[in-house]
Every structure is written in structure tokens, then in C-alpha cells.
Amino acid sequence: MTDAVVLEHVWKLFRRYPVRGHTTLKDLIVRGEWRKRFKGQQHVEALRDVSLQVPQGLVLGIIGSNGSGKSTLLRLVAGIYRPSSGRIVVAGRVAALLHLGLGFHPELSGRENIIIGGLAAGLPRREIRRAFDGIVEFAELREFIDAPVRTYSSGMYARLAFSVAVHVNPDILLLDEVLAVGDERFSEKSKQRMDRFKREGKTILFVSHGLDKVAEWCHEAIWLEGGRVRARGPAEAVVGEYRNSCAADGGFGTRARVRHG
Amino acid sequence: MRERTVLLVRVVGAIWGRRALTTELVRRELKLRYRGTVLGFVWTMINPLVFMVIYTLVVTYFFRIEIPKFPAFVLTGLLPWMMWFTEAMSSGTTCVVDHAPFVTNAVFPAEVLPLVAVGTGMMNFLFSLPVLLLLYVLFDVRLSVTAVALPLVMATQASLLLGLVYITATLNVFFRDMQYIVRHILTMTFYLTPILYDFARIPPQFHWILRLNPMTTVIDSYRRALFFGTWPNWRNLGLVLGLGAGLIAVGMGLFSAKKELFAEHL
Ligand SMILES: Nc1ncnc2c1ncn2[C@@H]1O[C@H](COP(=O)(O)OP(=O)(O)O)[C@@H](O)[C@H]1O
Ligand SMILES: [Mg+2]
């Protein structure tokens, strides 16, 4: 079976500084940021030497504590970020639901966003037209589809994002904690849709803190820690291992310890 | 060098593959600006018309410089400058930043954005041409056969703009001052471009200064082809077209080399 996603020795570094926002010329000249930019700069190593093969049709769970690099990994696969070093090969059409607020233009209506999103994904106009009603129907946004997306509630937004992602007929689906949003009924509906994708043999990368869901639903899982793959294997085994380690830390000990200095 | 060529071919291919997206985005920009009404377009047209009136007043009545049919003369230069050049330069410089929600989306091909900015400006300019023709009728300016050079002059302006916008749009992601710098340069360049005056009437020893600005040739060509009914200076126009092509190669190369860093900086 061929691999849908391959990562070879992937590193991703982020600059530690740009917390203040973007750099201005004043920073470059007056504050000497120029030097900082090119040498002696500190980096966050979000991913360290990650190698990974995901065969077609695999549902891979990705677990790990906050800041372990899960979202970064998905963004690299989505092509939003470029690896600092290493290689990523992705075979097939990707749909990504990375986090709330990504992908839609707030000033445009739901309709325009769907059309532009579809064209951006490389779908021909005729295919978008065909899928359009299905998308609106699934998202249950018929009355709101011509309102600007900024007027949507976060639940409506999530419904639209999910609906678009599953209707572009992706080969590879990237999900980052999204099933948690939306009301009970929609979450049930989206679960069914995900099950269908799984049955159809789509490749899915699924980031979640819902460990039970990962253990039950994913074929395999990886556990990221500090940007490295600490374990990979059958989902249940990896989740078990991760749970044990958390328990040994005293629940969310790692985080608590940081907080108390 | 070969790598560069491959890169360029890939960018052009990606853009060609998304031409439906490009047209859709241009249509949306225009709709947003005009809101589908006639009045919307009138508002956009008012700007160059007001300037036309003011400059006519200043140049012909205050300065008493004799240029026959001055309103038609000046509008021929004002329209490609205001409706297209400055418009596309400013919206093009901020295009990546303005479309942050799309650019941070997984599949969005950011390389179409500069093209959308330049294309929107061009449509803007085309829509304004009937107003220019109306003025020509009023001032009895006859179009001659040289008007067929218009598409070529427009192509030259488009290539120049595209090359510049790929560069400024990339820089603006990393240094937001770029948009202000561009705005100031545009204001200054206005006077260094033969829009208010006729290039042929400038003392020849200053021609080289004006020619440093590639828009000089472009505006002069519009004016010759449409207003004076003479052919553009082909050699100069060819040089600017070549410059534009070179800038596009450099600009697209820069843009696609930095593209994957955009999301981190938006
Ligand atoms: N755009 C960014 N700029 C700087 N640092 C970042 C950026 N994105 C993520 N990081 C850092 O990279 C590390 C991994 O983050 P992330 O992938 O979001 O972790 P997770 O999703 O597992 O919580 C964190 O230390 C985070 O602060
Ligand atoms: Mg995350």
C-alpha cells in the first residue's frame, strides 16, 4: 500500500521573538533587530527530527500535551508551514480543519466563502455548484448563507468549516480538535460523517485530547512529546502508555509544575 | 539557474491552474467596490474627474500653460495612473496581509493574489475608458489607427505592475512599513511621470531623469496612441516590457520562496 503522507527527519523551528507582532523598519534599524534576526537568535523547536509514514486509509491519532507540536505537525502536512529542514511528501487532495478562525474571510458571506474555498481547493466551478446545496444543507445554514461570516456564532462557523472540508472530497483529512465544537446534534452528525470517511478508506490525521475517542476510533496513534515522536503503535496501546505517563506525573503535573515555577 | 526556471514554471502553472479562482476574486473585488450599482462606479470615477478639473484650472488658468484640449490630455494620463497603477500598487502591496484568512488556509494558492490586485485595477481602468471617450467627443479629439497599440501598452503596464507587486507584497508581510513607503513613493512619482505635462515638451537634457521611471514611457505611450494619434516609441516600450518581464521573474521567485513563511507572520 502506498503512503499518503511521509515525513522524513522533519524539524520545525520558530523564532522566539515576534511576540510583539510584526517587525517594522524602526525595529530593524533603531533597535538592532537586524542582528538578532540573523544571529544569536533563540528558537522554539516545535518539531524535532520527526519521521513518519502514514499509509493510505490509515486513521492516525496524534496525542500529546499542550505545546508538544501537534498543530504544527498538521500545518506542515497541510502546507501552511514549511519545514525548517527535512522533507514532507503528501499524495492526494488535502482538506484541513485546523482550528477555528482559519480559512474563511470574515467580511464575505458564507456563499462567497464556499465558492472561493472550493476554487482554492482546485475544484472546478461546476463541481462546486453541485456540492453547494449539500454543504449548506449539512451545515444547516440555509437562512444565513448570504450573511457575512463575521456575524456567525462559533458553532455556525465550525459547522460551515466542517461541511466544506468534508464536501470537497479530500483524500487526506486533517482534523485538529474540531469535533468538540458545535452542539450535540451536529457533533453526532459529524461523527457519522467521519465514520463514513473511515469506511471509505480516507487517510485521516486526527489531533485530539479526547483520549477515549482516539483509542476507540483511530487505527494507530503517535504520541508527541517536546516535538519528538515518543511512541507509535496501535491507538489503544499508545493511549494507554500516554495515560500511564500522565498518571505518573500526577495528572497534568507537567503543566502545573511550570505554573508554580 | 535551471532551478529558478523550474520554480517559475511551477508558479506560472499554479496560477494558470487557478484562473477560475483569480477571476472569481477579481469579480468579488469589483463587486465589493461598486456594490453592483451604477453609483458605485460613479464614486470611483469622481476622483480622477475632480483632479482633472483642478489640474485644468491650475495649469491652463493659473500657470497659463497652453496645451490644447487640456482636460482630455490630462485625463488620458490620469486614468491609467489613478484607476490602475496607484490602485493596484497599494492594494497589491497589502494583498497578502489583507487576505490573511485565506492565506493561512491550507490550500489557498497565495500566488494568485498579486494577479488579482493587478487584474482588478485593470478592469477598473477599462471601465473608465468610456468616460475618456466621452471627453474625447466633447473636446473633438479623434481616435486614430494608433489606438490599436492600447492592448500592448496595457500589457506593458500590467507586466511592470505584476513584477513590482510580487516584490512589495512579499516584503510587506515581513515589514509592514512597506505599504506606507509605497504610498509615499507613489505620491512623489506622480510628479515625475508625464501626467500633468507633455514628455515631448520637457527640455531634452532632463529626459534621462524621467526615463528612469518606467511609468514615463507607459503614460507617454497611452497619450501618443490615444490622444495625439502617433505611435509609441517602440524601443522604449519594448525596454519597459522587458523590465516588467524581468521584475515578474524576480518577484515571483521571491514570492514563492517566502510564501511558506507567510502564515507564521500573519
Ligand atoms: N507561529 C508560531 N510562532 C512561534 N512559536 C510557535 C508558533 N506555532 C507554534 N509555536 C510553538 O511551537 C510549539 C508547539 O506548538 P503546537 O504545535 O501548537 O502544539 P500543540 O498543538 O501540541 O499544543 C509551542 O511551543 C508553541 O509555542
Ligand atoms: Mg494545538
Side-chain angles (χ1 to χ4, degrees), chain B residues 152-223:
Chain B
L152 190 71
V153 182
M154 287 178 63
T156 308
Q157 178 170 359
S159 72
L160 191 62
L161 265 172
L162 262 182
L164 290 171
V165 166
Y166 271 107
I167 296 169
T168 56
T170 309
L171 293 179
N172 193 52
V173 175
F174 304 103
F175 313 112
R176 302 291 161 97
D177 315 63
M178 203 58 215
Q179 57 201 80
Y180 306 110
I181 295 173
V182 164
R183 213 170 296 159
H184 286 299
I185 291 180
L186 284 173
T187 311
M188 291 185 294
T189 328
F190 175 77
Y191 296 98
L192 292 174
T193 308
I195 296 169
L196 291 182
Y197 48 89
D198 185 3
F199 183 71
R201 292 217 202 170
I202 299 297
Q205 68 263 35
F206 296 119
H207 277 187
W208 67 273
I209 299 182
L210 287 176
R211 285 244 182 73
L212 288 179
N213 165 16
M215 275 308 280
T216 292
T217 300
V218 174
I219 296 293
D220 188 49
S221 301
Y222 278 113
R223 199 165 270 146

Coordinates of all heavy atoms in Angstrom, one line a residue, chain B residues 152-223:
Chain B
L152 N -1.2 46.6 -26.2 CA 0.2 46.4 -26.0 C 0.7 47.3 -24.8 O 1.5 46.9 -24.0 CB 1.0 46.7 -27.2 CG 2.5 46.2 -27.1 CD1 2.6 44.7 -27.1 CD2 3.3 46.8 -28.2
V153 N 0.3 48.6 -24.8 CA 0.6 49.5 -23.8 C 0.1 49.0 -22.4 O 0.8 49.0 -21.4 CB 0.1 50.9 -24.0 CG1 0.5 51.9 -22.9 CG2 0.6 51.4 -25.4
M154 N -1.1 48.5 -22.5 CA -1.7 47.9 -21.2 C -0.9 46.7 -20.8 O -0.7 46.5 -19.6 CB -3.2 47.5 -21.5 CG -4.1 48.8 -21.5 SD -5.8 48.3 -21.9 CE -6.2 47.4 -20.4
A155 N -0.5 45.8 -21.7 CA 0.3 44.7 -21.4 C 1.6 45.1 -20.7 O 2.0 44.5 -19.7 CB 0.5 43.8 -22.6
T156 N 2.2 46.2 -21.2 CA 3.4 46.6 -20.6 C 3.2 47.1 -19.2 O 3.9 46.8 -18.3 CB 4.0 47.8 -21.5 OG1 4.1 47.4 -22.8 CG2 5.4 48.2 -21.0
Q157 N 2.1 47.9 -19.0 CA 1.8 48.4 -17.6 C 1.5 47.2 -16.7 O 2.0 47.2 -15.6 CB 0.6 49.3 -17.7 CG 0.2 49.8 -16.3 CD -0.8 50.9 -16.3 OE1 -1.2 51.3 -17.3 NE2 -1.2 51.3 -15.1
A158 N 0.8 46.2 -17.2 CA 0.4 45.0 -16.4 C 1.7 44.3 -16.0 O 1.8 43.9 -14.8 CB -0.5 44.1 -17.2
S159 N 2.7 44.1 -16.9 CA 3.8 43.3 -16.5 C 4.7 44.1 -15.5 O 5.2 43.5 -14.5 CB 4.7 43.0 -17.8 OG 5.3 44.2 -18.2
L160 N 4.8 45.4 -15.7 CA 5.5 46.2 -14.7 C 4.9 46.1 -13.4 O 5.6 45.9 -12.3 CB 5.5 47.7 -15.2 CG 6.4 48.6 -14.6 CD1 7.9 48.2 -14.7 CD2 6.2 50.0 -15.1
L161 N 3.6 46.3 -13.3 CA 2.8 46.2 -12.1 C 3.0 44.9 -11.4 O 3.3 44.8 -10.2 CB 1.4 46.5 -12.3 CG 0.9 47.9 -12.2 CD1 -0.6 48.0 -12.6 CD2 1.0 48.3 -10.7
L162 N 2.8 43.8 -12.2 CA 2.9 42.5 -11.6 C 4.2 42.3 -10.9 O 4.3 41.8 -9.8 CB 2.7 41.4 -12.7 CG 1.3 40.9 -12.8 CD1 1.3 39.8 -13.9 CD2 0.8 40.3 -11.5
G163 N 5.3 42.6 -11.7 CA 6.6 42.4 -11.1 C 6.8 43.2 -9.8 O 7.3 42.6 -8.8
L164 N 6.4 44.4 -9.8 CA 6.5 45.2 -8.6 C 5.7 44.7 -7.5 O 6.2 44.6 -6.3 CB 6.1 46.7 -8.9 CG 7.1 47.5 -9.8 CD1 6.4 48.8 -10.2 CD2 8.4 47.7 -9.1
V165 N 4.5 44.3 -7.8 CA 3.6 43.9 -6.7 C 4.0 42.6 -6.1 O 3.9 42.4 -4.8 CB 2.1 43.8 -7.2 CG1 1.2 43.1 -6.2 CG2 1.6 45.2 -7.4
Y166 N 4.5 41.6 -6.9 CA 5.0 40.4 -6.2 C 6.1 40.7 -5.2 O 6.2 40.1 -4.2 CB 5.6 39.4 -7.3 CG 4.5 38.5 -7.9 CD1 4.0 38.7 -9.1 CD2 4.0 37.5 -7.1 CE1 3.0 37.9 -9.6 CE2 3.0 36.7 -7.6 CZ 2.5 36.9 -8.8 OH 1.5 36.1 -9.3
I167 N 6.9 41.7 -5.5 CA 8.0 42.1 -4.6 C 7.5 42.8 -3.4 O 7.8 42.4 -2.3 CB 9.1 43.0 -5.4 CG1 9.7 42.1 -6.5 CG2 10.1 43.5 -4.4 CD1 10.6 42.9 -7.4
T168 N 6.7 43.9 -3.6 CA 6.2 44.7 -2.5 C 5.3 43.9 -1.6 O 5.3 44.0 -0.3 CB 5.5 46.0 -2.9 OG1 4.4 45.6 -3.8 CG2 6.5 46.9 -3.6
A169 N 4.5 43.0 -2.2 CA 3.6 42.2 -1.4 C 4.3 41.3 -0.4 O 4.0 41.1 0.7 CB 2.6 41.4 -2.2
T170 N 5.4 40.7 -1.0 CA 6.2 39.8 -0.2 C 6.9 40.6 1.0 O 6.8 40.2 2.1 CB 7.3 39.1 -1.0 OG1 6.8 38.6 -2.2 CG2 8.1 38.1 -0.2
L171 N 7.5 41.7 0.6 CA 8.2 42.5 1.7 C 7.2 43.0 2.7 O 7.6 43.0 3.9 CB 8.9 43.7 1.0 CG 10.1 43.3 0.1 CD1 10.7 44.5 -0.5 CD2 11.1 42.5 0.8
N172 N 6.0 43.3 2.3 CA 5.1 43.9 3.3 C 4.6 42.9 4.3 O 4.2 43.2 5.4 CB 3.8 44.4 2.5 CG 3.0 45.3 3.4 OD1 3.5 46.2 4.1 ND2 1.7 45.0 3.5
V173 N 4.7 41.6 4.0 CA 4.4 40.6 5.0 C 5.4 40.6 6.2 O 5.0 40.5 7.4 CB 4.4 39.1 4.4 CG1 4.1 38.1 5.5 CG2 3.4 39.0 3.3
F174 N 6.6 40.9 5.9 CA 7.7 40.9 6.9 C 7.9 42.3 7.5 O 8.2 42.4 8.6 CB 9.0 40.3 6.3 CG 8.7 38.9 5.7 CD1 8.7 38.7 4.4 CD2 8.6 37.8 6.6 CE1 8.4 37.5 3.9 CE2 8.3 36.6 6.1 CZ 8.3 36.4 4.7
F175 N 7.8 43.3 6.6 CA 7.9 44.7 7.1 C 6.7 45.5 6.7 O 6.6 45.9 5.6 CB 9.2 45.3 6.6 CG 10.4 44.5 6.6 CD1 11.0 44.0 5.5 CD2 10.9 44.1 7.9 CE1 12.1 43.2 5.5 CE2 12.0 43.3 7.9 CZ 12.6 42.8 6.8
R176 N 5.8 45.7 7.7 CA 4.5 46.3 7.3 C 4.7 47.8 6.9 O 3.8 48.4 6.4 CB 3.5 46.3 8.5 CG 3.2 44.9 8.9 CD 2.4 44.1 7.9 NE 2.5 42.7 8.1 CZ 1.6 42.0 8.8 NH1 0.6 42.5 9.2 NH2 1.8 40.7 9.0
D177 N 5.9 48.4 7.1 CA 6.1 49.7 6.6 C 6.1 49.9 5.1 O 5.9 50.9 4.6 CB 7.5 50.2 7.0 CG 7.9 49.9 8.4 OD1 8.0 48.7 8.7 OD2 8.2 50.8 9.2
M178 N 6.2 48.7 4.5 CA 6.3 48.7 3.0 C 5.1 49.5 2.4 O 5.2 50.3 1.5 CB 6.3 47.3 2.5 CG 6.9 47.1 1.2 SD 8.6 47.7 1.1 CE 8.5 48.2 -0.6
Q179 N 3.9 49.3 3.0 CA 2.7 49.9 2.4 C 2.8 51.4 2.5 O 2.3 52.1 1.6 CB 1.5 49.3 3.1 CG 1.4 49.5 4.6 CD 0.4 48.5 5.2 OE1 0.7 47.3 5.4 NE2 -0.8 49.0 5.5
Y180 N 3.4 51.9 3.6 CA 3.5 53.4 3.7 C 4.6 53.9 2.8 O 4.4 55.0 2.1 CB 3.8 53.8 5.1 CG 2.8 53.2 6.1 CD1 3.1 52.2 7.0 CD2 1.4 53.6 6.0 CE1 2.2 51.6 7.8 CE2 0.5 53.0 6.9 CZ 0.9 52.0 7.8 OH -0.1 51.4 8.5
I181 N 5.7 53.2 2.7 CA 6.7 53.6 1.8 C 6.2 53.6 0.3 O 6.4 54.6 -0.4 CB 7.9 52.6 1.9 CG1 8.5 52.7 3.2 CG2 9.0 52.9 0.8 CD1 9.6 51.6 3.5
V182 N 5.5 52.6 0.0 CA 4.9 52.6 -1.4 C 4.0 53.8 -1.6 O 4.1 54.4 -2.7 CB 4.1 51.2 -1.6 CG1 3.2 51.3 -2.8 CG2 5.1 50.1 -1.8
R183 N 3.2 54.1 -0.6 CA 2.2 55.2 -0.8 C 3.0 56.5 -1.0 O 2.6 57.3 -1.9 CB 1.3 55.3 0.4 CG 0.0 55.8 0.1 CD -1.0 55.7 1.3 NE -1.2 54.3 1.7 CZ -1.7 53.9 2.9 NH1 -1.9 54.9 3.8 NH2 -1.9 52.7 3.2
H184 N 4.1 56.7 -0.3 CA 4.8 57.9 -0.4 C 5.5 58.0 -1.8 O 5.5 59.0 -2.5 CB 5.9 58.1 0.7 CG 5.2 58.5 2.0 ND1 4.5 59.7 2.1 CD2 5.2 57.8 3.2 CE1 4.0 59.7 3.3 NE2 4.4 58.6 4.0
I185 N 6.1 56.9 -2.2 CA 6.8 56.8 -3.5 C 5.8 57.1 -4.6 O 6.1 57.9 -5.5 CB 7.4 55.4 -3.7 CG1 8.6 55.3 -2.7 CG2 7.9 55.3 -5.1 CD1 9.4 54.0 -2.8
L186 N 4.6 56.6 -4.5 CA 3.5 56.8 -5.5 C 3.2 58.3 -5.6 O 3.1 58.9 -6.7 CB 2.3 56.1 -5.2 CG 2.3 54.6 -5.5 CD1 1.0 53.9 -5.0 CD2 2.5 54.3 -7.0
T187 N 3.1 59.0 -4.4 CA 2.8 60.4 -4.4 C 3.9 61.2 -5.1 O 3.6 62.1 -5.9 CB 2.6 60.9 -3.0 OG1 1.8 60.0 -2.3 CG2 2.1 62.3 -3.0
M188 N 5.1 60.8 -4.8 CA 6.2 61.5 -5.4 C 6.4 61.2 -6.9 O 6.6 62.1 -7.7 CB 7.5 61.2 -4.7 CG 7.6 61.7 -3.3 SD 9.2 61.5 -2.5 CE 9.2 59.7 -2.4
T189 N 6.2 60.0 -7.3 CA 6.4 59.6 -8.7 C 5.3 60.2 -9.6 O 5.6 60.4 -10.8 CB 6.3 58.1 -8.8 OG1 6.7 57.4 -7.7 CG2 7.0 57.6 -10.0
F190 N 4.2 60.6 -9.0 CA 3.2 61.2 -9.8 C 3.7 62.4 -10.6 O 3.5 62.6 -11.7 CB 2.0 61.7 -8.9 CG 1.0 62.5 -9.6 CD1 0.0 61.8 -10.4 CD2 0.9 63.8 -9.5 CE1 -0.9 62.6 -11.1 CE2 -0.1 64.6 -10.2 CZ -1.0 63.9 -11.0
Y191 N 4.6 63.2 -9.9 CA 5.1 64.4 -10.5 C 6.3 64.1 -11.4 O 6.6 64.9 -12.2 CB 5.5 65.4 -9.4 CG 4.3 65.9 -8.6 CD1 4.0 65.3 -7.4 CD2 3.4 66.8 -9.2 CE1 2.8 65.7 -6.7 CE2 2.3 67.2 -8.5 CZ 2.0 66.6 -7.2 OH 0.9 67.0 -6.6
L192 N 6.9 63.0 -11.2 CA 8.0 62.6 -12.1 C 7.5 61.7 -13.2 O 8.3 61.0 -13.9 CB 9.0 61.8 -11.3 CG 9.7 62.7 -10.2 CD1 10.7 61.9 -9.4 CD2 10.5 63.8 -10.9
T193 N 6.2 61.7 -13.4 CA 5.6 61.0 -14.6 C 4.9 62.0 -15.4 O 4.2 62.8 -14.9 CB 4.7 59.9 -14.1 OG1 5.3 59.1 -13.1 CG2 4.2 59.0 -15.2
P194 N 5.1 62.0 -16.7 CA 4.4 63.0 -17.5 C 2.9 62.8 -17.6 O 2.4 62.4 -18.6 CB 5.1 62.8 -18.9 CG 5.6 61.5 -18.9 CD 5.9 61.1 -17.5
I195 N 2.3 63.2 -16.5 CA 0.8 63.1 -16.5 C 0.2 64.5 -16.6 O -0.6 64.8 -17.5 CB 0.3 62.5 -15.2 CG1 0.8 61.1 -15.1 CG2 -1.2 62.6 -15.1 CD1 0.6 60.4 -13.7
L196 N 0.8 65.5 -15.9 CA 0.3 66.9 -15.9 C 0.9 67.6 -17.1 O 0.5 68.7 -17.5 CB 0.7 67.6 -14.7 CG 0.0 67.2 -13.4 CD1 0.4 68.0 -12.2 CD2 -1.5 67.3 -13.6
Y197 N 2.1 67.1 -17.6 CA 2.8 67.8 -18.6 C 3.1 66.8 -19.8 O 2.9 65.6 -19.6 CB 4.1 68.4 -18.1 CG 4.9 67.4 -17.3 CD1 5.8 66.6 -17.9 CD2 4.7 67.3 -15.9 CE1 6.6 65.7 -17.1 CE2 5.4 66.5 -15.1 CZ 6.4 65.7 -15.7 OH 7.1 64.8 -15.0
D198 N 3.6 67.3 -20.9 CA 3.9 66.5 -22.0 C 5.4 66.2 -22.1 O 6.2 67.1 -22.0 CB 3.5 67.3 -23.3 CG 3.6 66.5 -24.5 OD1 4.0 65.3 -24.4 OD2 3.4 67.0 -25.6
F199 N 5.7 64.9 -22.1 CA 7.1 64.5 -22.1 C 7.9 65.2 -23.2 O 9.0 65.7 -23.0 CB 7.1 63.0 -22.4 CG 8.5 62.4 -22.3 CD1 9.2 62.4 -21.1 CD2 9.2 62.0 -23.5 CE1 10.5 61.8 -21.0 CE2 10.4 61.5 -23.4 CZ 11.1 61.4 -22.2
A200 N 7.3 65.4 -24.4 CA 8.0 66.0 -25.6 C 8.4 67.4 -25.3 O 9.3 68.0 -25.9 CB 7.1 65.9 -26.8
R201 N 7.7 68.1 -24.4 CA 8.0 69.5 -24.1 C 9.0 69.7 -23.0 O 9.3 70.9 -22.7 CB 6.7 70.2 -23.7 CG 5.7 70.3 -24.9 CD 5.0 71.6 -24.8 NE 3.8 71.6 -25.5 CZ 2.9 72.6 -25.4 NH1 3.1 73.6 -24.6 NH2 1.8 72.5 -26.1
I202 N 9.4 68.6 -22.4 CA 10.4 68.7 -21.3 C 11.8 68.9 -22.0 O 12.1 68.2 -23.0 CB 10.5 67.5 -20.4 CG1 9.1 67.3 -19.8 CG2 11.6 67.5 -19.4 CD1 8.7 68.4 -18.8
P203 N 12.6 69.9 -21.5 CA 13.9 70.0 -22.1 C 14.7 68.7 -22.2 O 14.7 68.0 -21.2 CB 14.6 71.0 -21.1 CG 13.5 71.7 -20.4 CD 12.4 70.8 -20.4
P204 N 15.2 68.4 -23.4 CA 15.8 67.0 -23.6 C 16.9 66.6 -22.5 O 17.0 65.5 -22.3 CB 16.4 67.2 -25.0 CG 15.7 68.3 -25.6 CD 15.3 69.2 -24.5
Q205 N 17.6 67.6 -22.0 CA 18.6 67.2 -21.0 C 18.0 66.6 -19.8 O 18.7 66.0 -19.0 CB 19.5 68.4 -20.6 CG 18.9 69.5 -19.8 CD 18.4 70.7 -20.7 OE1 18.0 70.5 -21.9 NE2 18.5 71.9 -20.2
F206 N 16.7 66.7 -19.5 CA 16.1 66.1 -18.4 C 15.4 64.8 -18.7 O 14.9 64.1 -17.8 CB 15.1 67.0 -17.7 CG 15.7 68.3 -17.2 CD1 15.3 69.5 -17.7 CD2 16.6 68.2 -16.2 CE1 15.8 70.7 -17.2 CE2 17.2 69.4 -15.7 CZ 16.8 70.6 -16.2
H207 N 15.4 64.4 -20.0 CA 14.7 63.2 -20.4 C 15.1 62.0 -19.7 O 14.4 61.1 -19.3 CB 14.8 63.0 -21.9 CG 13.8 63.8 -22.7 ND1 13.6 63.7 -24.0 CD2 12.9 64.7 -22.2 CE1 12.6 64.5 -24.4 NE2 12.2 65.2 -23.3
W208 N 16.5 61.9 -19.5 CA 17.0 60.7 -18.9 C 16.5 60.5 -17.4 O 16.3 59.4 -17.0 CB 18.5 60.7 -18.9 CG 19.2 61.7 -18.1 CD1 19.5 63.0 -18.4 CD2 19.6 61.6 -16.7 NE1 20.0 63.7 -17.4 CE2 20.2 62.8 -16.3 CE3 19.6 60.5 -15.8 CZ2 20.7 63.0 -15.0 CZ3 20.1 60.7 -14.5 CH2 20.7 61.9 -14.1
I209 N 16.3 61.6 -16.7 CA 15.8 61.5 -15.4 C 14.4 60.9 -15.4 O 14.1 60.0 -14.6 CB 15.7 62.9 -14.7 CG1 17.1 63.5 -14.6 CG2 15.1 62.8 -13.3 CD1 17.2 64.9 -13.9
L210 N 13.6 61.5 -16.3 CA 12.2 61.0 -16.3 C 12.2 59.5 -16.8 O 11.3 58.7 -16.3 CB 11.4 61.8 -17.3 CG 11.0 63.2 -16.7 CD1 10.3 64.0 -17.8 CD2 10.2 63.1 -15.5
R211 N 13.1 59.2 -17.7 CA 13.1 57.8 -18.2 C 13.5 56.8 -17.2 O 13.2 55.6 -17.3 CB 14.0 57.7 -19.4 CG 13.5 58.3 -20.7 CD 13.2 57.3 -21.8 NE 12.7 58.0 -22.9 CZ 13.5 58.7 -23.7 NH1 14.8 58.9 -23.4 NH2 13.0 59.3 -24.7
L212 N 14.2 57.2 -16.1 CA 14.5 56.3 -15.0 C 13.2 55.7 -14.5 O 13.2 54.6 -13.9 CB 15.3 57.0 -13.9 CG 16.7 57.4 -14.2 CD1 17.3 58.1 -13.0 CD2 17.5 56.2 -14.6
N213 N 12.1 56.4 -14.6 CA 10.8 56.0 -14.1 C 10.1 55.3 -15.3 O 9.7 55.9 -16.2 CB 10.1 57.2 -13.6 CG 8.6 56.9 -13.5 OD1 8.2 55.8 -13.4 ND2 7.8 58.0 -13.4
P214 N 10.0 53.9 -15.2 CA 9.4 53.2 -16.3 C 8.0 53.7 -16.7 O 7.5 53.5 -17.8 CB 9.4 51.8 -15.9 CG 9.7 51.8 -14.4 CD 10.4 53.1 -14.1
M215 N 7.3 54.2 -15.7 CA 5.9 54.6 -16.0 C 5.9 55.8 -16.9 O 4.8 56.1 -17.5 CB 5.2 55.0 -14.7 CG 4.5 53.8 -14.0 SD 3.5 52.8 -15.1 CE 2.0 53.8 -15.1
T216 N 7.0 56.6 -17.1 CA 7.1 57.7 -18.0 C 6.8 57.2 -19.4 O 5.9 57.7 -20.1 CB 8.5 58.3 -18.0 OG1 8.7 58.9 -16.7 CG2 8.7 59.3 -19.1
T217 N 7.4 56.1 -19.8 CA 7.2 55.5 -21.1 C 5.8 55.1 -21.3 O 5.1 55.3 -22.3 CB 8.2 54.4 -21.4 OG1 9.5 54.9 -21.3 CG2 8.0 53.8 -22.7
V218 N 5.3 54.4 -20.2 CA 3.9 53.9 -20.3 C 2.9 55.0 -20.5 O 2.1 54.9 -21.4 CB 3.6 53.0 -19.0 CG1 2.1 52.6 -19.1 CG2 4.5 51.8 -18.9
I219 N 2.9 56.0 -19.7 CA 2.0 57.1 -19.8 C 2.1 57.8 -21.1 O 1.1 58.1 -21.8 CB 2.1 58.1 -18.6 CG1 1.8 57.4 -17.3 CG2 1.2 59.3 -18.8 CD1 0.4 57.0 -17.1
D220 N 3.4 58.0 -21.5 CA 3.6 58.7 -22.8 C 3.0 57.9 -23.9 O 2.5 58.5 -24.9 CB 5.1 58.9 -22.9 CG 5.4 59.8 -24.1 OD1 4.8 60.9 -24.3 OD2 6.3 59.4 -25.0
S221 N 3.1 56.6 -23.8 CA 2.6 55.7 -24.9 C 1.1 55.8 -25.0 O 0.5 55.8 -26.1 CB 3.0 54.3 -24.7 OG 4.4 54.2 -24.6
Y222 N 0.4 55.8 -23.8 CA -1.0 55.9 -23.8 C -1.4 57.2 -24.5 O -2.3 57.3 -25.3 CB -1.6 56.0 -22.4 CG -1.8 54.7 -21.7 CD1 -1.0 54.4 -20.6 CD2 -2.8 53.8 -22.1 CE1 -1.2 53.2 -19.9 CE2 -3.0 52.6 -21.4 CZ -2.2 52.3 -20.4 OH -2.4 51.1 -19.7
R223 N -0.7 58.3 -24.2 CA -1.0 59.6 -24.7 C -0.8 59.7 -26.2 O -1.6 60.2 -26.9 CB -0.2 60.7 -23.9 CG -0.9 62.0 -24.1 CD -0.4 63.0 -23.1 NE -1.1 63.0 -21.9 CZ -0.5 63.3 -20.7 NH1 0.8 63.5 -20.7 NH2 -1.3 63.4 -19.7

